[in-house]
Amino acid sequence: MGNKPGRPKNQTARREALVDAAGRAIAERGLEGLRIKDIAAEAGMSAGSVLYYYPEMDELVLEVHRGAVERYLAARQGAVDGATGAAARLRALVGSGLPGGSGDAVHGLLFELHRRADRSSGHATLMASLFAREVALYATVLEVGAAVGEFTLIEPVTDLARNLVALEDGYGLHIVSRNAELTPDVARRLLLGYARTVTGCPEL
């Protein structure tokens, strides 16, 4: 008999499939109600198979968090790389950091996983790493813009970058929490307004 359709053939692929399935289960149900059988159902495996590859649920959730962070950062870097000019790159970076709406799966998953940071050093490390790397993305765009004369920064670049990431996070949380007064368009306008003020760039 051949392998069942869609079933990974090796352990690495099976682990990746379980991480993907766990991510979908967390996004749909949240962490509090997450059960092994939910992940098994998403992955098309038995609960025993889940436990074979990940005997500890915490280890699996940590892998979900790690993967979500890397995919999110790669998407943000891609948005910047696809733009030409400092102003366009900053606009692209702002756009890539906000949820598309209350049902945004990527941001919803990240916010849900960040909740583990207060009781897990692994999750706290991932959350801090994500913040630092997002700050670095903004800092690079701001520094290059200043170097080519498109931006005139009114504060130290790291301070500006941290504020931009913090504003994204705050607005993003309201968006995924269904705050009708803070839509993605409103949040983007507010962020770009702040960026325009601190860079002196009218093109933002």
Side-chain angles (χ1 to χ4, degrees), residues 29 34-43 45-47 50 57:
R29 300 169 177 82
L34 185 65
R35 299 169 298 179
I36 292 293
K37 70 177 187 178
D38 297 327
I39 298 169
E42 286 284 350
M45 300 181 189
S46 68
V50 177
M57 176 79 83

Side-chain angles (χ1 to χ4, degrees), residues 4-47:
K4 292 181 180 179
R7 297 278 289 189
K9 296 180 180 180
N10 57 64
Q11 291 199 3
T12 299
R14 284 180 183 271
R15 283 178 171 271
E16 290 173 353
L18 283 171
V19 170
D20 288 344
R24 293 193 299 273
I26 292 168
E28 292 172 10
R29 300 169 177 82
L31 279 169
E32 300 305 321
L34 185 65
R35 299 169 298 179
I36 292 293
K37 70 177 187 178
D38 297 327
I39 298 169
E42 286 284 350
M45 300 181 189
S46 68

